[in-house]
Amino acid sequence: MTDDVAPLGPKIMLVAGEASGDQLGGRLMAALKAKQDDIRFIGVGGPRMEREGLESLFPMNEMSVMGLAEVIPHIPHLLKRINQTADFAKSERPDVVITIDAPDFSFRVGKKLKGKGIPLVHYVAPSVWAWRKGRAKKIAGFLDHLLALLPFEPPYFEKEGLPTTFIGHSAVEERHDGDGERFRSAHDLKADQKLLAVLPGSRNSEVKRLLPVFRKVIDALAVKYPDARIVVPTVSKVADTVTEEMKSWPLDPIVVATDQERHDAFAAANCALAASGTVSLELAISGVPHVIAYQVNAITGWIAKRLIRIDTVTIVNLVLGKKLIPEFLQENCTTRNITPVLDALMAEGPQRRDQIAGFDQACTMLGFGDTPPSEKAAAQILKIIAKK
């Protein structure tokens, strides 16, 4: 006679490489647990995924390197982590491996797992519509499924034989989640006091490159708005650097690092100056008019300018097909260019009204009001496991 042993639930391996991927992974894990409570999680992730029950194989921030010149010194260590991640998957034999964004890392892991009998899913389609169109065919050679955030992406991959599901952008799940009155009360801000959000990025390389430019913009605006304040929503891994750099800034910066404080700050802000990235969509979802400014290493920028086939890097602009959000990139990322545009957004004028109206349209196109993207992603993952 043998004892009855309850069957173990599915084992899901997730691999995220940076803060935005950690957010996606955390929401996906929560949605999966809501659908099936016996799921086991393994892999690589950050604090958001760890809160959902993941014990990370190694610190996620070791992979958060951006740009050709920046990544070169880290190549040996990154290759070691790629091999370690792939070997871990081979030994653990999960029911599915889900790599999240960070394509340079994720796709190298995926290639090493091709033909090993483990379904491979990638979350966030690479931007083949912007550059390196041939990547669609290459990843179709080793991926089993792709989860896309933008509505126009699936055809690029489906024509190469890669099943692709548009799930919507996960940032729409945070819409109207912040409490502006609570933020202003907590920081003794008057209801009519101008509040400018400053977001210099989530990587140390971004922060160090952008903060000097952003500082000069704030210096200029402080002359016109001496009673204004600035809030700096950041992430834990760069919070100390940001706080130290801003000690001498005008307008008494408020640095916040938790998700709820970030959402509350967005709800309270009049406008924002932000690095390029997902944060632009987060600001749009919160209805915060903003300007995008960004610089990378000169070599990386020179190469990118010759490869990229689009004239905007902002998701809202891409979805709407027009430059609603002003962008100041590389040599155009200057105090002289940015300050007057940001000044116009501080006032109640047509620039503010046009952006806010466009945000609503873009958010609808990206999935707001439909089934939350994380739930769509979870449902697709469970279908793949069931088929296996």
Side-chain angles (χ1 to χ4, degrees), residues 229-247:
R229 294 288 300 279
I230 58 176
V231 58
V232 191
T234 187
V235 294
S236 57
K237 69 182 179 183
V238 297
D240 289 344
T241 300
V242 169
T243 301
E244 183 63 30
E245 290 286 332
M246 292 188 136
K247 282 183 177 178

Side-chain angles (χ1 to χ4, degrees), residues 207-282:
V207 168
K208 290 175 181 177
R209 185 167 284 114
L210 292 175
L211 277 182
V213 178
F214 286 12
R215 164 68 188 265
K216 291 178 182 178
V217 174
I218 300 305
D219 284 342
L221 290 174
V223 175
K224 185 172 182 179
Y225 303 99
D227 297 326
R229 294 288 300 279
I230 58 176
V231 58
V232 191
T234 187
V235 294
S236 57
K237 69 182 179 183
V238 297
D240 289 344
T241 300
V242 169
T243 301
E244 183 63 30
E245 290 286 332
M246 292 188 136
K247 282 183 177 178
S248 63
W249 280 40
L251 305 183
D252 194 12
I254 304 165
V255 179
V256 299
T258 70
D259 288 344
Q260 191 58 62
E261 286 177 315
R262 180 187 186 88
H263 301 162
D264 289 353
F266 286 171
N270 297 94
C271 61
L273 170 61
S276 175
T278 306
V279 67
S280 176
L281 181 55
E282 294 178 36

Side-chain angles (χ1 to χ4, degrees), residues 148-344:
L149 275 55
L150 305 179
F152 55 80
E153 291 180 316
Y156 287 93
F157 303 93
E158 289 172 337
K159 72 177 183 180
E160 303 295 347
L162 176 59
T164 303
T165 303
F166 166 60
I167 60 169
H169 203 292
S170 70
V172 301
E173 297 184 43
E174 296 183 359
R175 186 164 181 130
H176 305 313
D177 188 38
D179 187 330
E181 290 185 7
R182 177 170 59 198
F183 185 88
R184 286 181 175 270
S185 175
H187 297 282
D188 297 321
L189 298 171
K190 299 174 184 176
D192 61 349
Q193 192 170 2
K194 297 289 187 184
L195 180 66
L196 171 65
V198 176
L199 299 111
S202 61
R203 304 177 181 90
N204 277 303
S205 59
E206 291 174 329
V207 168
K208 290 175 181 177
R209 185 167 284 114
L210 292 175
L211 277 182
V213 178
F214 286 12
R215 164 68 188 265
K216 291 178 182 178
V217 174
I218 300 305
D219 284 342
L221 290 174
V223 175
K224 185 172 182 179
Y225 303 99
D227 297 326
R229 294 288 300 279
I230 58 176
V231 58
V232 191
T234 187
V235 294
S236 57
K237 69 182 179 183
V238 297
D240 289 344
T241 300
V242 169
T243 301
E244 183 63 30
E245 290 286 332
M246 292 188 136
K247 282 183 177 178
S248 63
W249 280 40
L251 305 183
D252 194 12
I254 304 165
V255 179
V256 299
T258 70
D259 288 344
Q260 191 58 62
E261 286 177 315
R262 180 187 186 88
H263 301 162
D264 289 353
F266 286 171
N270 297 94
C271 61
L273 170 61
S276 175
T278 306
V279 67
S280 176
L281 181 55
E282 294 178 36
L283 289 165
I285 286 163
S286 299
V288 184
H290 59 283
V291 170
I292 292 299
Y294 203 68
Q295 288 179 330
V296 294
N297 176 279
I299 296 173
T300 303
W302 183 86
I303 294 171
K305 187 178 289 187
R306 281 149 183 79
L307 293 176
I308 292 176
R309 305 193 308 268
I310 54 174
D311 61 357
T312 179
V313 298
T314 305
I315 292 174
V316 169
N317 292 351
L318 284 165
V319 171
L320 293 177
K322 63 179 181 180
K323 289 189 176 180
L324 180 71
I325 300 169
E327 300 172 341
F328 300 98
L329 312 176
Q330 291 304 96
E331 65 273 10
N332 293 319
C333 181
T334 66
T335 305
R336 182 176 181 178
N337 288 339
I338 297 167
T339 303
V341 178
L342 198 54
D343 183 16

Side-chain angles (χ1 to χ4, degrees), residues 60-133:
M60 181 194 73
N61 59 16
E62 292 185 14
M63 292 186 283
S64 300
V65 183
M66 184 177 185
L68 179 63
E70 293 85 356
V71 79
I72 288 173
H74 299 275
I75 286 176
H77 188 68
L78 289 171
L79 292 174
K80 175 184 174 183
R81 290 307 195 193
I82 288 166
N83 289 328
Q84 181 183 3
T85 305
D87 289 344
F88 182 69
K90 293 172 189 176
S91 66
E92 289 288 329
R93 305 297 303 174
D95 293 285
V96 64
V97 170
I98 306 162
T99 51
I100 306 172
D101 210 359
D104 289 336
F105 189 93
S106 295
F107 293 161
R108 284 172 171 79
V109 172
K111 288 175 185 177
K112 290 180 178 294
L113 296 178
K114 178 183 177 182
K116 303 301 180 184
I118 306 171
L120 302 175
V121 178
H122 188 67
Y123 192 174
V124 182
S127 306
V128 298
W129 35 267
W131 71 305
R132 291 172 59 194
K133 189 175 180 180

